[in-house]
Amino acid sequence: GDVQGVANSIMLATAVVSALAFNGPALRAPARASGVEMGAKSKAIPFLEARPALAGWVGDAGFDPLGFSTVNMLWMREAEIKHSRLAMLATAGWVAVDLGARFPGAGADYTAVPSSLAAHDAMVSHGDMYILLILASIIETVALFGTMQMIKGETDRKPGDFYFDPMNMAKGKDSSKMATNEIKNGRLAMVAFSGIVTQAALGHASFPYFGA
């Protein structure tokens, strides 16, 4: 059925994105001062050893049971921030649509769509999903050049920094605190969005996505 098709699409997309996110380049990030002693235990998982590569990074809670931090922390943090921001936007947008919000000028074909879950099939049937795919591919390709320059040490850019702050929200504020808040909210949003989509695909397509 349509729900099964959506669920399959979600799982396929998740697998592809995960592979791309964690398939970092062989280049190693510049060495960072490590505050982790050999044999020190993780704060998040006390029975595992802390990963030295995580030391000094914003949001470090010692959680890396699979050892992704040994790939390249610049690449991994860039991927985490990107997915965090997308998840925060996606969660807010998904819930807003299910509460009745519609984008101005969307047209009858979309304003009549009953839920965010149903919007997936609507975009596929109208061919708009391909436009979104092409647009996302262009953005990712352009952004990749900046990421690779950062990893090679050719720029002083930090992971996730696109010099975009038109409202000066970070001006005069503690940047480390704001970065920590972004990481924490982003991680929560990634878990939340996964749960929302799963519940919707299982038949609970309306907010708050549980119950009959």
Side-chain angles (χ1 to χ4, degrees):
D2 290 342
V3 172
Q4 184 62 43
V6 172
N8 290 339
S9 296
I10 292 170
M11 288 188 289
L12 177 60
T14 301
V16 172
V17 169
S18 299
L20 292 175
F22 293 120
N23 188 23
L27 295 170
R28 294 289 174 178
R32 298 173 64 93
S34 175
V36 178
E37 299 179 358
M38 294 298 295
K41 298 300 181 182
S42 164
K43 292 182 292 183
I45 312 177
F47 56 86
L48 295 180
E49 290 190 6
R51 302 283 182 176
L54 294 175
W57 289 91
V58 171
D60 171 29
F63 183 80
D64 185 19
L66 299 181
F68 288 125
S69 61
T70 60
V71 177
N72 183 294
M73 274 303 297
L74 291 174
W75 177 273
M76 299 305 296
R77 178 46 56 94
E78 180 83 13
E80 181 178 30
I81 292 177
K82 181 183 297 183
H83 286 85
S84 293
R85 291 169 178 170
L86 286 173
M88 288 188 281
L89 289 171
T91 301
W94 188 288
V95 174
V97 169
D98 285 343
L99 290 177
R102 296 294 185 271
F103 195 82
D109 290 338
Y110 285 114
T111 54
V113 172
S115 67
S116 293
L117 184 68
H120 172 276
D121 289 343
M123 288 192 69
V124 172
S125 63
H126 287 82
D128 294 330
M129 190 66 79
Y130 299 105
I131 298 176
L132 180 61
L133 175 61
I134 293 172
L135 179 61
S137 299
I138 293 173
I139 295 174
E140 284 295 298
T141 301
V142 173
L144 181 62
F145 288 104
T147 302
M148 295 307 299
Q149 288 178 332
M150 173 189 68
I151 291 174
K152 293 178 181 179
E154 297 174 358
T155 67
D156 59 356
R157 173 182 174 272
K158 296 180 180 179
D161 187 0
F162 290 96
Y163 311 104
F164 182 77
D165 187 16
M167 300 180 67
N168 293 319
M169 296 182 66
K171 188 176 182 180
K173 297 182 180 180
D174 184 354
S175 60
S176 63
K177 181 179 181 180
M178 294 194 70
T180 300
N181 290 341
E182 181 180 38
I183 285 292
K184 287 184 175 180
N185 285 296
R187 290 170 178 171
L188 177 61
M190 286 188 281
V191 175
F193 187 73
S194 299
I196 288 172
V197 175
T198 300
Q199 282 293 94
L202 290 176
H204 309 291
S206 60
F207 184 84
Y209 312 108
F210 60 84

